[in-house]
Amino acid sequence: MEKKPHFARREFLPREVTSISLALLLVAVLLLNALLYLYLSTSDSSSGRAETDPGLCPFGHFKLGAVKNCSPWLSCEAINREVRKLKCVGEGVVKKVFLSEWKENKVVLSQLTNSELKEDFLHGLKMLKALQSKHVVRLLGYCEQQFTILTEYHPLGSLRGLNETLHIPKYKGMNTWRHRLMLAIDYVSVIRYLHSSPLGTLVMCDSNDLDKVLSQYLLTSDFHILVNDLDALPLVNRSAGRLVKCGHRELQGEFVAPEQRWPYGDMPFEDELMPPYDEKTDIWKIPDVSNFLLGHVEGSDIVRLHLFDIHAACKKRDPAERPSAQEVSDTYKKVLALLIRETAMPGTREML
């Protein structure tokens, strides 16, 4: 008689442990879904106030580092007096870039190098001021008279160095399909923001090959993507019949969209005869950029499989048949949610 309760306890405990483990796993899955929903809903806000202010400062102001108060954009006088150049870290066709210091903070000072391209430089500054948001590098100050722009410094540099960064021991834990897909979501979110910006539909023209595209974006220390170079950002205005052309030279190669290539065969290229196009050129390039961002890690081929249909749609030769950046963004986020659920649920099925 005394052994029955003992025997009953021995048979009951495993079931109790199983039930508790199952409950804990279900709670974990629900929590994961809640966190995922929060991430997707936060990153999916449209082009309103929610995505138009880095650091929650009013227009014309910025917040840097651990400083709590917002400061007005630095003027010519303040830049000349308070900013100290440290070293040149890059030079392009339009400007030279210097790692600099302002009040013990690392910053980036960009200066025009070719006076013939001052209009491009000033256009980039105009875009930078108007498009300040969580998708765009933070503007700290400028001096039009001296053709100087001051922006926030991001030590990981441009997206061109992503794979090298992910081999650094500190960041190896980020080298997963999930973090890489979230970077691709960030990239598409930037395109979506530009296509629905406060200024209208803007086209990322400085993007004639993959390396050039990657150089236009920065990788932040918390692994997000910011667009950094806005010198070539023309406006599409369909209601006014205004389309765009990315420069005045012939573009070639499979990376640029078909409508960006000279359509008249062996006839010598003439800029005046080249038909204009719209923002769907950016959509054509998304699969190639995403393929780089996804890399070749465990699980990345599964991600590519889930993105196959939307990427095939992006590569439609007829621009009108390609999806919008919003549709691509929505699909990427659905794939992320699906794959995270699939990663979590096998354990649940085993417990059941």
Side-chain angles (χ1 to χ4, degrees):
M1 294 295 290
E2 293 179 358
K3 290 184 178 180
K4 288 184 178 179
H6 179 64
F7 181 77
R9 281 197 301 270
R10 289 180 60 187
E11 201 171 48
F12 173 74
L13 281 173
R15 294 180 181 177
E16 184 181 49
V17 171
T18 300
S19 299
I20 292 173
S21 299
L22 178 58
L24 289 173
L25 186 56
L26 289 174
V27 169
V29 170
L30 290 173
L31 181 59
L32 183 62
N33 283 336
L35 291 172
L36 182 63
Y37 173 80
L38 181 62
Y39 165 76
L40 295 180
S41 61
T42 301
S43 60
D44 196 36
S45 53
S46 59
S47 56
R49 183 66 184 172
E51 44 176 354
T52 57
D53 192 7
L56 301 177
C57 288
F59 180 78
H61 294 71
F62 70 92
K63 205 163 45 172
L64 194 61
V67 178
K68 294 183 179 180
N69 297 326
C70 295
S71 302
W73 286 337
L74 301 185
S75 63
C76 296
E77 180 185 359
I79 290 174
N80 291 333
R81 185 181 65 249
E82 301 173 11
V83 176
R84 181 171 64 96
K85 290 182 185 176
L86 299 177
K87 63 178 179 179
C88 179
V89 292
E91 183 172 2
V93 177
V94 178
K95 53 186 178 286
K96 186 177 288 188
V97 179
F98 297 89
L99 175 62
S100 305
E101 191 174 55
W102 175 74
K103 294 187 177 180
E104 300 183 352
N105 292 290
K106 294 288 196 310
V107 293
V108 174
L109 188 71
S110 302
Q111 292 184 317
L112 178 69
T113 54
N114 187 344
S115 59
E116 294 180 1
L117 298 175
K118 61 182 181 181
E119 292 304 319
D120 296 74
F121 185 90
L122 293 175
H123 175 75
L125 173 58
K126 177 185 175 183
M127 294 293 103
L128 195 54
K129 289 193 290 185
L131 298 175
Q132 283 296 287
S133 72
K134 67 179 184 178
H135 303 294
V136 179
V137 69
R138 191 170 304 176
L139 179 63
L140 309 180
Y142 62 91
C143 180
E144 288 193 35
Q145 297 94 314
Q146 298 173 8
F147 297 99
T148 299
I149 300 173
L150 194 70
T151 54
E152 188 174 17
Y153 171 64
H154 292 280
L156 296 183
S158 78
L159 272 183
R160 284 188 298 190
L162 174 63
N163 290 325
E164 290 75 11
T165 296
L166 289 171
H167 282 97
I168 298 172
K170 179 180 178 181
Y171 297 108
K172 278 188 175 180
M174 308 294 282
N175 196 19
T176 65
W177 69 262
R178 188 180 305 182
H179 286 101
R180 282 178 170 272
L181 177 54
M182 288 171 73
L183 285 179
I185 290 173
D186 266 5
Y187 165 69
V188 174
S189 295
V190 173
I191 300 299
R192 177 182 57 79
Y193 175 66
L194 294 178
H195 288 184
S196 58
S197 82
L199 301 177
T201 301
L202 300 168
V203 181
M204 195 68 177
C205 259
D206 213 353
S207 57
N208 298 332
D209 58 66
L210 178 60
D211 194 61
K212 187 63 174 176
V213 171
L214 298 174
S215 72
Q216 309 301 305
Y217 296 86
L218 294 172
L219 180 64
T220 67
S221 296
D222 60 349
F223 265 66
H224 286 284
I225 290 176
L226 300 173
V227 63
N228 182 50
D229 196 330
L230 303 174
D231 294 346
L233 211 60
L235 178 69
V236 169
N237 189 337
R238 283 192 184 79
S239 60
R242 184 198 303 168
L243 299 178
V244 303
K245 288 192 286 187
C246 292
H248 304 287
R249 299 178 183 178
E250 182 177 2
L251 301 178
Q252 297 177 325
E254 291 299 314
F255 187 81
V256 296
E259 64 271 22
Q260 292 184 280
R261 302 172 211 153
W262 179 243
Y264 302 121
D266 295 332
M267 183 188 298
F269 178 81
E270 291 186 39
D271 184 40
E272 295 78 10
L273 298 179
M274 180 67 199
Y277 33 83
D278 62 18
E279 77 281 1
K280 291 299 184 73
T281 58
D282 289 335
I283 304 300
W284 171 273
K285 299 161 188 173
I286 286 176
D288 299 285
V289 179
S290 290
N291 186 54
F292 169 82
L293 294 174
L294 289 173
H296 299 284
V297 296
E298 183 179 355
S300 62
D301 286 341
I302 299 298
V303 177
R304 287 184 178 89
L305 184 63
H306 280 81
L307 295 176
F308 180 85
D309 288 343
I310 192 67
H311 283 173
C314 291
K315 290 294 187 178
K316 296 279 189 181
R317 294 195 68 83
D318 183 355
E321 294 182 6
R322 294 175 205 152
S324 67
Q326 181 67 62
E327 291 171 319
V328 179
S329 177
D330 290 343
T331 301
Y332 273 39
K333 290 172 182 176
K334 288 176 183 176
V335 167
L336 175 62
L338 172 65
L339 290 176
I340 288 178
R341 282 198 299 269
E342 287 184 351
T343 301
M345 289 307 289
T348 306
R349 286 195 293 267
E350 289 172 9
M351 295 301 296
L352 292 171

